[in-house]
Structures are given as C-alpha cells and as structure tokens.
Amino acid sequence: MVSWNNQAVPAVAAAMRNAFRSLAAFKIVLLTATLSGYAATGQLAGTVIDANTGATVPFSTVQIVGTTLGTVADSAGSFTVTVDAGTISILATALGYQPRVVSDIVISPVRPAVVRIVLIPDAAVIAERITVRPDFFDRATDAPLSTTSQSAEEIRRLPGGFEDVVRAISIVPGVAQTTQGRNDLIVRGGAPSENLYLIDNIEVNNINHFGTQGSAGGPISFINLDFVDNTTFSAGGFGARYGDRLSSTLAINLRDGRRDRFGGRATISATRFGIDAEGPLGERGSFVVSARRSYLDLIFRANGFEFVPEFWDFLARAELEPTPRDKFSLLAIGAINNVRLFNDEADDRFDNSRRLDNDQNQAVTGVSWRRLLGSGFITTTLSQTFVDYEFTQRDSLLTPFFVTESTELDIALRVDGQFQVSPETELWFGVQGKIQRADGDLLLRDFADPYSDFTDTFNIEQPFDTTGTKLAVYTQLSQRLGSLTLTAGVRGDYFSLIDAEPEVAPRLSASWEVASPIRLSVSAGRYYQAPSIIWIAANEFNRGLRQMGTDQVVAGIEIRLRDDTKFRVEGYYKDYFDYATSIERPYLVMANSGGDFGGSEEGFASFGLDSLVSAGEGRAYGVEFFLQKKLSEIPCYGQMSLTIGQVEYAGIDGIYRDGSFDQRVIFNIGGGYIFNERWEVSTKFQISTGRPYTPFEADGSRSIERYNSVRLGPSHALDLRVDRRWFFGGWVLTTYLDLQNVYARSQPEIPFYNVRTGQAETEDGLGLLPSIGITAEF
C-alpha cells in the first residue's frame, strides 16, 4: 500500500477494492474444490544449537507438542521426522539446558520445514536436579525487558498487516503509528528515525519502499516475508551490542534455502505479485531468489487517478557451510520506486501540488562469516547500503519549488564475538566501522514557514558532497548468581562529521526469577544517536551538532500463567538531551519530524535544512500491559496490549510541548484459531487516542502559541482474516481473505489548508479495505 499524503488513502482503498473484485471470481472457483480426501504429510528437519557457544547439541530430544511423535537428534544435533501437514509446535530438551518450545511451524508436503532450535544452558538443571518448565518465549540475556520475537508465520497471518515485518510490530506494547498509509514505528514517544533495523546483522537505515529521507519510515517494507525466519524487536533497555539509535531495535533474520531439491512459489495479492525460487548449492549450501512487482500503477491509471505509483523489489541470498565450524552467507536486496504524476486538468495540478514526488532506488549487499571457536563464536559482516533519491514538488503552475537529487552510501564492517567464559558467565564484545557519504544537489525556492510568527522564507540552491566515518566499540558481561542474572556493558560511538568528542554509554540490567512463574527485571542505560547525514550535508552549520542522547530506565514484572501464556507489566522513563532543534523555527525539534512523506505540508523538516543546534530536550514516560498466548496443543493464539504514556519536547525556546506523535492511550487485541490443517481465522482490534496537531488560523497560517494544542479524535478499527490451504500431490495452494477496517470507519486525519476554499479541510480516511492473496508453492 502506497501513499503520498492523506489524499492517497481513499485512492489506494478504491484501487485495492477493484483488485479484490477482479480476484474474487478465482477465489470462488477454488472454494468449490473438493480435495478434502487428500492426506498430506511433510518433513520437519532442524538443528539444535547452544545459545552461548553456537555449537550443536547432540542427542537432544524433539517432540511434537500434543502428540506422542518425536525423535532424537544425531551426534551433529540434526534431526528429521515426518509429520502430518498443518501448523505445529515442537518441544526440544537436552541434559543441562532449559527446555524450549518452537511454535507456529507450518508443515507442507512440498517443502521441508527447517527449524533452528536454540537452547539456553542451565547448570541448575544438572546441579540441583530440578525440573524446568518449557519456554515458549525467547529471552535475550542482555535484553530481559521490552523484547518480543515473532516467527514468519505470526507476521504473515496478522490481519491488516500486509505481511509487512514492520507493520507486524504495531500490535506490541509501546508502539504507535502515524497514519494508516505508513508503517513508521513510534516507540515510546520516539521519532521514526530512532529505530535500528538489521537484516542478517546488516544495518539498514530505511527498509521501506518510498522511504522518507532523514527518517526511517515509509508505506511498506521491501523485505520478502517468504524468506524471513523470525524477527526480534526491543522497545528499549537493549544491551551494548546495539547503538546509534535512541528507541528500539528490529533484528530480521532470514532463513536458508531448501537443500533437498529446487522449489518455488508464485504469489498474487491485492497490491503486488511475485515469484520465488530456492534450492541447494552443492551438498553444503543453498540459495533463495525472488522478484516482486506492484500493479497498483495499472489500477490507478485505469481509474483515472492523477498519480501512479510503481515499485519492484528483489532479493537473493546464498549460504554455504564449507566446514562444521564455518558458515558464510551472502545477501543482496534491491528496490525500485517511482511515481508518475498526471497533470491534465487544473484539479489534477492542484492536487499534485501538495505531493512530494518521490523516486528512489535502493540496494543492500553484504557478506557474513560466522566462525565457531570452542566456547563461543565470532561473526564478521561486511556490507554496503545505497539509496538514490529524487524528490520534486511543484506548484499548481507546474513550477518546481523543491528539487533534490542525492545519493547516500554506507560501507560498514562489524565484528561481534560471544563467548561462554564459565557455566555462569557470558561475554560479548565487538567493533564497528562505517564510511558514510551523501552527495547531490538541492533547490528550495521561496518557501515560507506556515507559522505566522516567522516571516523569513527559505531560498537554497547548492550542491553538496559529504563523507565521514563512524566508529563504535562495545563490551558487556553477564553473570548468573543463582536466580539473579546481572548484565553490565559499555559502548563508545564516534562520528567524524560533527565537532564533538566520542560518547560513552554505560548500560546495566538485572533479572531475578523470584519463583518459577514470576520474574522481576530492571534496566538502566544511556543511548546515543548521531545526526542524520543529510542534515549535515544539506547545511554545513549542522557540523556543530552533538550526538543526541537519552537516559532510560525500564522496570517490569513477568508472570507465566501457563507454559504458553505470559503476562507482563512494564514502566519506562526516557530523558532526552542534546536533541537537534532549529534556530530559524524555535518550536521545531527534529524528534517531531519524519512521520510523513516530508513535503511542504511538513515544512521539509526531515531533510534537516534548518540551522540546527543541540539544545532540544524531551521526556517520555508510561506504563504498558501485555498478555500473550502462543500456539500450543490448544490451537489458538492471541495477544493483548495496553499502553498509557506521554511524550513532550522543548526546542530552543525552552517551552515543553506535546510531541507530534504523542498518543496517550493505545489498546490492541488480536488472535486466531486453527481449526485444522486447512482452515484458520484471525482478527485484530485497535483503538487509540488521537495525536496532537497545530490548527490553522482563519488566514491559513499557524501560530506557534497553538503548536500541537489540538488533538484528533480517537482512532479504532477491526480487521479480519481467513486462511485456507489446499494440498495437491506435488504442490500446495494457499489463499486468504483479509478485511481491514471491517465496519468501514473513516479514521481521523490531520487537516490541511485548501487555498482555493480558504478553509481547513480533511480528506476521507480509509474505509473498508478487502484484499485477497493467492500463493502456489511447488
């Protein structure tokens, strides 16, 4: 789904409804098929791994949850078992390790389900001869709080999620969204730019089609979910391994290709179609490739819309294990995004004058080497990310007043080590280096700030070419003392493009298992983030900035109600300092930018054209409640979250104002039921209070005195999804029907000023949005 401002939302909805009608006939034909007599089975294969050393765990026991079926891994920690088709969970146990349950494994008759089970060593299991409850939930030693892991299947079946790894995060506590047409992550009040994305250990600034330069959001991710193994999201309190971001981390781990034979998949949905292929590379490797294209451009143009978006994305990945101790993986991702504007009529030219034309090409490449070294492992990753941006905005006479053509290039090398020093002690360390370059041309002509308090206009016409380096080093140590686990770490970050010394960030966490079902945890630490390179390239004055920082404290309690069900309560406080803020526009703190497509209606803020100083402050605080049930022998799953929080920032004028993404209350509930190997239904309901905005005066201006003083009304929607699988002899057909915003409520949107009518107006929000997906796997 693609959007360039609020006007695009109803257009996208109409286009997708037309796509729904065109695919419905094929769906009806499939529903009449009578194939229920086919008994399908598939292969489950996997490897059991030690979480601390990366070595395999031999002779571990693997059992299918809810059945008597199981097997024992061989001396290399590998296993294979034949299982009935459907969605299952497995339990892995081994002497000296905590039992682990892996849920949401889809067994298909055409492709083996390959799992990697990571077991956490636990000396108490042997020394104290105790029985440990099986763990359905991943838990990182250095991030005992605010962490949620999702499998690819959990992401895929989320209603209204468009099978997007970023949108799937919106249901977890502490996360808000800016608009329906975008997937920006607003984590505990932080800006969209404060989130770190890693794909197979490669840092990528923005993983979205039509991404916002200087920020990290967009309409939809370019990550192909077909090749995702799992994701791990941390909303705060993460360890020293990760840095250069203030709010959160999202680590996306891709899966290996199949090693038994060549196979593939073809998919068509309401927004795009694509084809995947995968297979073996010799006896010790595999590959995956995919290509996808949107066809919204065909639908938009056929319906006479004045703008036509089009995007492609490509993925290729190969992995090779030349020895049992070495594993190499190579990754290449590309995305092509462009939009055509049709200005045949005066109304078309007026509507398009509000749009920032956004064409961009993106490329991510990298190679990673993981080497096992007895009691631990070292991972070395070399990567390059490249984005070619072209932005243009024209007035209703088609005269351009904002034009920028630029490229951003990052070349990065990182080495990470993890070792088990003793049965109770773990050590992490790492070094990271990055070369960053931004070059291009910028034109901004006679742009007046919409706030009536300022009369100056922006006139900029300049080329830019900026190159700098980032360096980081970290270490952390985790020590278990009975039921108490302590983790201490420190991280240093340096950025050559700013006139500031390296910053040092200490972090500490503690987790205490009070009793078998109850765990108390607390973390405290300092986090730094360098200014976006486009802010510095676009305005040399901004070299005087310092790294932005926040001090965070998070505390929580987790209660295991059942092996597959947990309840968590957390409270957090974030104290921001040295945030970049504008001299020309004293109300503007960069934390309030980047949540849209960055055009004139947002004051081009995310590009960092202003003269910025490190004088901004902020504070965010709140409490979160989270209840989650994983799929188990009870064939249902679900989660419920409630976030109550507040965020406010002060610019150079020192006045604290509500943050632009401040949503005080957010409630989510969702879940589903698997009837059998063929049918599954899921639903999701979200409601949140409105975020603040600045109202227009009668003359179309805005007053700084009323900055973010008015709030939108509450937003709420119900989504529903039904999945159906058909098993044929040599292939599987999977279909789904997804209904977003079932009761067709028009969600509140921030008003814009219509210079033709002389009034503030709002666009219609997204109504009922049905979509159908069809996937054939062979």
Side-chain angles (χ1 to χ4, degrees):
M1 179 177 179
V2 181
S3 171
W4 276 262
N5 58 22
N6 293 343
Q7 284 186 311
V9 173
V12 171
M16 294 183 69
R17 279 192 285 267
N18 287 339
F20 173 82
R21 297 187 190 103
S22 66
L23 292 171
F26 185 51
K27 175 74 173 181
I28 293 171
V29 172
L30 291 175
L31 287 173
T32 63
T34 57
L35 301 168
S36 58
Y38 180 76
T41 61
Q43 292 291 313
L44 170 67
T47 307
V48 185
I49 304 293
D50 185 298
N52 294 343
T53 67
T56 59
V57 180
F59 310 117
S60 52
T61 301
V62 178
Q63 181 182 353
I64 312 303
V65 174
T67 74
T68 57
L69 183 63
T71 188
V72 177
D74 60 20
S75 59
S78 300
F79 64 90
T80 303
V81 62
T82 300
V83 186
D84 289 338
T87 306
I88 66 169
S89 301
I90 58 175
L91 168 65
T93 58
L95 188 63
Y97 293 86
Q98 298 177 10
R100 175 79 174 94
V101 175
V102 179
S103 60
D104 297 291
I105 303 170
V106 178
I107 304 298
S108 166
V110 298
R111 180 174 63 86
V114 180
V115 296
R116 186 172 180 268
I117 307 173
V118 179
L119 297 184
I120 299 175
D122 192 344
V125 175
I126 300 176
E128 302 175 22
R129 299 182 182 276
I130 63 173
T131 300
V132 180
R133 299 172 63 177
D135 197 347
F136 276 75
F137 303 94
D138 292 329
R139 181 180 293 110
T141 304
D142 62 337
L145 291 147
S146 312
T147 301
T148 302
S149 295
Q150 293 180 311
S151 67
E153 181 64 13
E154 289 176 295
I155 298 169
R156 183 196 64 80
R157 68 192 180 202
L158 178 69
F162 297 103
E163 300 187 357
D164 183 351
V165 294
V166 181
R167 287 179 183 268
I169 302 299
S170 65
I171 198 170
V172 306
V175 178
Q177 289 185 292
T178 55
T179 65
Q180 291 177 293
R182 290 179 61 90
N183 66 4
D184 303 83
L185 292 182
I186 309 300
V187 182
R188 292 175 173 172
S193 60
E194 295 180 15
N195 308 302
L196 175 65
Y197 299 101
L198 299 105
I199 308 171
D200 273 2
N201 211 40
I202 298 172
E203 293 187 13
V204 182
N205 292 327
N206 197 320
I207 64 173
N208 292 293
H209 288 289
F210 301 101
T212 301
Q213 191 171 15
S215 189
I220 193 165
S221 166
F222 55 65
I223 304 300
N224 189 341
L225 183 62
D226 291 345
F227 298 130
V228 172
D229 182 47
N230 62 79
T231 67
T232 300
F233 174 72
S234 178
F238 45 90
R241 286 185 293 169
Y242 303 125
D244 201 22
R245 291 299 186 273
L246 298 177
S247 283
S248 74
T249 65
L250 177 61
I252 303 167
N253 300 311
L254 303 181
R255 68 171 177 86
D256 297 337
R258 61 189 304 173
R259 292 191 178 186
D260 59 328
R261 64 172 178 84
F262 178 83
R265 175 184 308 205
T267 300
I268 184 170
S269 68
T271 58
R272 57 193 170 193
F273 61 91
I275 188 167
D276 307 338
E278 58 181 306
L281 282 177
E283 296 182 354
R284 304 189 64 85
S286 66
F287 75 91
V288 296
V289 294
S290 74
R292 303 187 300 176
R293 185 196 190 279
S294 69
Y295 56 85
L296 286 178
D297 56 317
L298 307 178
I299 301 172
F300 275 42
R301 192 54 184 157
N303 284 272
F305 295 139
E306 68 273 8
F307 73 102
V308 177
E310 176 185 321
F311 62 84
W312 291 75
D313 58 57
F314 310 90
L315 183 148
R317 183 178 186 270
E319 54 90 19
L320 183 66
E321 296 181 85
T323 74
R325 289 183 172 272
D326 296 282
K327 181 174 182 178
F328 293 88
S329 62
L330 295 88
L331 176 66
I333 300 175
I336 301 173
N337 314 275
N338 61 76
V339 60
R340 288 175 291 162
L341 302 181
F342 295 92
N343 295 298
D344 302 328
E345 305 292 338
D347 287 344
D348 295 337
R349 294 191 289 273
F350 175 76
D351 291 339
N352 283 333
S353 70
R354 296 181 52 221
R355 293 193 174 95
L356 181 64
D357 188 1
N358 178 350
D359 293 347
Q360 57 185 257
N361 300 319
Q362 300 156 277
V364 178
T365 56
V367 58
S368 183
W369 171 34
R370 185 173 184 176
R371 171 69 175 176
L372 300 184
L373 297 170
S375 60
F377 57 90
I378 292 180
T379 304
T380 304
T381 304
L382 176 65
S383 64
Q384 174 180 289
T385 62
F386 172 82
V387 188
D388 180 10
Y389 293 103
E390 292 186 17
F391 293 99
T392 305
Q393 190 162 2
R394 296 176 171 85
D395 60 23
S396 58
L397 299 178
L398 302 184
T399 302
F401 61 90
F402 178 78
V403 180
T404 177
E405 297 181 3
S406 64
T407 63
E408 292 187 15
L409 173 68
D410 289 5
I411 301 175
L413 174 68
R414 61 181 297 157
V415 180
D416 301 279
Q418 179 179 340
F419 287 86
Q420 186 171 8
V421 179
S422 72
E424 306 293 344
T425 308
E426 296 176 62
L427 173 67
W428 293 264
F429 60 87
V431 294
Q432 302 166 12
K434 181 183 293 186
I435 299 173
Q436 284 194 309
R437 181 183 180 185
D439 70 292
D441 295 283
L442 172 66
L443 168 69
L444 179 60
R445 181 179 296 134
D446 296 330
F447 175 71
D449 187 273
Y451 286 83
S452 59
D453 307 69
F454 308 103
T455 58
D456 293 341
T457 59
F458 286 85
N459 280 282
I460 305 171
E461 186 171 359
Q462 65 181 37
F464 56 86
D465 191 342
T466 303
T467 302
T469 58
K470 286 184 176 181
L471 300 173
V473 59
Y474 73 87
T475 184
Q476 66 182 25
L477 187 71
S478 179
Q479 180 68 44
R480 180 172 175 175
L481 304 170
S483 59
L484 176 66
T485 301
L486 299 175
T487 302
V490 63
R491 181 184 179 92
D493 286 277
Y494 168 75
F495 188 30
S496 68
L497 290 179
I498 57 176
D499 302 327
E501 298 297 320
E503 301 290 0
V504 178
R507 299 172 193 177
L508 177 68
S509 67
S511 183
W512 177 33
E513 191 169 1
V514 180
S516 179
I518 302 175
R519 181 183 296 271
L520 300 177
S521 300
V522 63
S523 69
R526 174 162 287 192
Y527 299 81
Y528 284 102
Q529 179 173 338
S532 172
I533 190 172
I534 191 61
W535 302 354
I536 298 168
N539 191 331
E540 284 285 325
F541 178 86
N542 296 339
R543 287 179 177 268
L545 289 169
R546 295 187 294 273
Q547 295 192 49
M548 300 172 288
T550 178
D551 292 321
Q552 297 187 25
V553 178
V554 186
I557 179 173
E558 180 177 299
I559 303 174
R560 190 75 61 82
L561 304 178
R562 288 172 36 96
D563 291 343
D564 61 356
T565 307
K566 69 177 181 181
F567 176 68
R568 187 176 77 201
V569 181
E570 292 185 359
Y572 64 89
Y573 184 86
K574 299 163 67 175
D575 182 22
Y576 287 96
F577 58 90
D578 289 344
Y579 222 108
T581 185
S582 171
I583 293 178
E584 292 90 350
R585 297 182 276 188
Y587 65 89
L588 176 61
V589 183
M590 296 304 286
N592 289 326
S593 69
D596 215 312
F597 290 91
S600 59
E601 293 183 358
E602 288 78 49
F604 302 105
S606 66
F607 292 94
L609 307 179
D610 298 66
S611 297
L612 303 173
V613 292
S614 298
E617 301 176 349
R619 52 192 177 226
Y621 45 88
V623 60
E624 301 164 355
F625 303 87
F626 187 45
L627 176 66
Q628 182 180 20
K629 182 196 178 300
K630 288 275 193 175
L631 183 68
S632 61
E633 69 276 10
I634 303 175
C636 64
Y637 53 87
Q639 58 187 48
M640 179 174 62
S641 65
L642 172 64
T643 301
I644 303 172
Q646 184 173 352
V647 59
E648 49 190 2
Y649 295 99
I652 196 172
D653 57 8
I655 301 174
Y656 273 89
R657 302 177 178 90
D658 289 344
S660 294
F661 311 118
D662 177 36
Q663 292 180 269
R664 300 289 176 85
V665 181
I666 305 170
F667 177 76
N668 297 282
I669 185 170
Y673 189 87
I674 298 178
F675 294 93
N676 50 44
E677 73 277 11
R678 303 174 188 276
W679 288 98
E680 178 179 356
V681 63
S682 55
T683 187
K684 178 188 70 177
F685 176 75
Q686 294 180 303
I687 184 170
S688 62
T689 54
R691 62 190 182 106
Y693 68 95
T694 306
F696 288 97
E697 305 298 323
D699 60 356
S701 66
R702 293 175 174 178
S703 170
I704 191 174
E705 300 297 328
R706 303 179 68 191
Y707 183 83
N708 282 351
S709 62
V710 180
R711 287 185 174 269
L712 296 173
S715 174
H716 53 85
L718 175 68
D719 303 330
L720 178 67
R721 176 172 171 137
V722 179
D723 288 76
R724 172 67 159 95
R725 291 186 176 95
W726 281 266
F727 301 107
F728 296 82
W731 60 291
V732 174
L733 188 68
T734 303
T735 63
Y736 70 81
L737 169 64
D738 193 309
L739 300 177
Q740 186 176 352
N741 196 8
V742 171
Y743 48 84
R745 183 177 190 269
S746 181
Q747 309 297 340
E749 300 283 354
I750 292 178
F752 72 96
Y753 187 78
N754 189 326
V755 296
R756 284 180 164 182
T757 64
Q759 295 180 345
E761 299 177 359
T762 57
E763 298 289 345
D764 293 332
L766 185 67
L768 172 64
L769 180 59
S771 62
I772 286 177
I774 303 171
T775 298
E777 186 175 16
F778 51 90

